[in-house]
Amino acid sequence: MATNNAQRYSLVAMLFHWVIAIAVIVNWRLAEAAEHAGDAERAAIFANHKALGIVILILSLARLAWRFTHPVPALDGVATWERILARTTHVIFYVMLIGLPIGGWLGSSYFGSGVDVFGIFTLPALPVGENPEAGKAIFNLHATGGSVMIYLIGLHILGGLKHTFFDKNGGIFRMLPFGKVPG
């Protein structure tokens, strides 16, 4: 991943970041709502959760392609341990943003179901054969991964706030088209 001397991420990178962030939070809330809904409502909520998961997958793959082909701002003035933590967190984010939707699709496939993406297209079930027990196990891992993702988002937000308000290096504003980034 190339870096550059720019103070901010590109507008396209910012758009990917915020759209995916909002989609992940909405999808987490959908999963939470489905867990507390009645049987009839649960299926409809989970259908939206699965569809949005596939949208997140597509956006994340596009964002990753963008990141590999466009330089990102250097992490100047940041301690080595913070740089390592930031890079590690970003790698884990990408693994989860790609792995969680694929895991959800795989879990559905074990129940013999594809994923309808808001009526626009349907991903067919993966060719794994029906195995509800495997599907349940995958969905349990998927739920655990979703919880880890929420904690990771919290860590990411805390890091941005620390850099912005304690270190005063403009942390959050690197991913926003406004605000001051010292340089």
Side-chain angles (χ1 to χ4, degrees), residues 101-139:
I102 291 173
W105 182 18
L106 178 61
S108 291
S109 296
Y110 276 123
F111 284 95
S113 299
V115 179
D116 177 69
V117 183
F118 301 117
I120 300 168
F121 63 93
T122 300
L123 291 176
L126 294 167
V128 293
E130 288 193 37
N131 184 339
E133 290 305 312
K136 287 177 191 174
I138 294 291
F139 283 142

Side-chain angles (χ1 to χ4, degrees), residues 5 11-12 19 21 33 39 61 75 77 79 83 102-103 105 113-114 117 121-122 125 129 151 158 163 169-170 172 174:
N5 293 328
L11 289 176
V12 172
V19 169
D39 289 340
L61 291 171
L75 287 173
R83 188 176 296 112
I102 291 173
W105 182 18
S113 299
V117 183
F121 63 93
T122 300
Y151 291 119
L158 288 173
H163 290 300
N169 67 7
I172 291 173
R174 290 165 39 97

Side-chain angles (χ1 to χ4, degrees), residues 10-23 58-67 94 97 175:
S10 69
L11 289 176
V12 172
M14 289 180 198
L15 185 64
F16 275 131
H17 177 273
W18 292 109
V19 169
I20 291 169
I22 291 166
I58 293 166
L59 289 171
S60 296
L61 291 171
R63 179 180 181 188
L64 191 59
W66 180 266
R67 183 163 179 149
Y94 282 113
L97 288 168
M175 193 50 85

